[in-house]
């Protein structure tokens, strides 16, 4: 299939497909005229990449999942490397939650302090 067909079927833009290709996530064949041709399995790969990117993984972090699919697994997240990638992303999210919780506490303290100071001035 052509790049526009792949993009339409997978629910992404042609630009996204080209980006995935530039990241080594897709390896289309090239016809004599230079057109890219994709296999039906590439639709599954593109959908998986799109889903993983929506979870905040980087293109590089999706490699284990794509390799898992290409190894013939029905799911991209059943291989040990995929599970490790999930764990790493969860750790990143946990770290960000901690940072945001600390930031919220500091802001709340500053707000309270400012409101108390203002009330004393009235």
């Amino acid at each position: 299939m052509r790049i526009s067909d792949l993009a339409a079927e997978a629910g992404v833009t042609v630009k996204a497909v080209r980006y995935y290709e530039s990241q080594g996530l897709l390896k289309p064949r090239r016809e004599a005229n230079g057109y890219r041709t994709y296999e039906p399995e590439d639709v599954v790969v593109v959908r998986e990449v799109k889903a993983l990117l929506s979870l905040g993984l980087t293109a590089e972090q999706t490699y284990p999942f794509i390799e898992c699919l290409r190894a013939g697994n029905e799911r991209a997240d059943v291989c040990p490397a995929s599970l490790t990638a999930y764990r790493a992303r969860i750790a990143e999210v946990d770290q960000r939650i901690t940072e945001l919780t600390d930031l919220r506490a500091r802001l709340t303290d500053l707000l309270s302090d400012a409101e108390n100071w203002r009330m004393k001035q009235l």
Side-chain angles (χ1 to χ4, degrees):
M1 77 178 64
R2 302 254 190 254
I3 192 169
S4 59
D5 300 324
L6 171 62
E9 185 138 351
V12 299
T13 63
V14 169
K15 185 177 179 178
V17 174
R18 287 191 182 117
Y19 172 72
Y20 300 163
E21 183 183 345
S22 75
Q23 296 300 302
L25 300 168
L26 293 171
K27 296 177 178 126
R29 288 180 294 128
R30 292 279 186 165
E31 294 181 357
N33 61 6
Y35 286 1
R36 298 168 175 90
T37 56
Y38 297 88
E39 301 300 321
E41 298 81 32
D42 290 327
V43 173
V44 176
V45 169
V46 170
R47 286 179 180 159
E48 187 67 29
V49 170
K50 179 183 175 187
L52 292 166
L53 292 176
S54 76
L55 296 172
L57 277 78
T58 65
E60 185 175 335
Q61 290 170 322
T62 67
Y63 293 147
F65 297 91
I66 303 314
E67 290 171 4
C68 192
L69 280 177
R70 289 202 174 117
N73 295 290
E74 287 185 35
R75 290 182 53 160
D77 59 0
V78 296
C79 297
S82 300
L83 299 175
T84 299
Y86 273 155
R87 287 184 192 101
R89 182 64 185 135
I90 290 168
E92 291 170 2
V93 169
D94 287 344
Q95 178 61 37
R96 187 68 178 134
I97 288 170
T98 299
E99 291 169 359
L100 288 172
T101 300
D102 291 347
L103 176 60
R104 185 181 194 289
R106 287 192 321 227
L107 286 168
T108 301
D109 289 346
L110 288 169
L111 174 61
S112 178
D113 185 55
E115 288 174 335
N116 287 336
W117 184 85
R118 184 172 182 269
M119 291 304 280
K120 289 178 185 175
Q121 301 304 312
L122 296 176

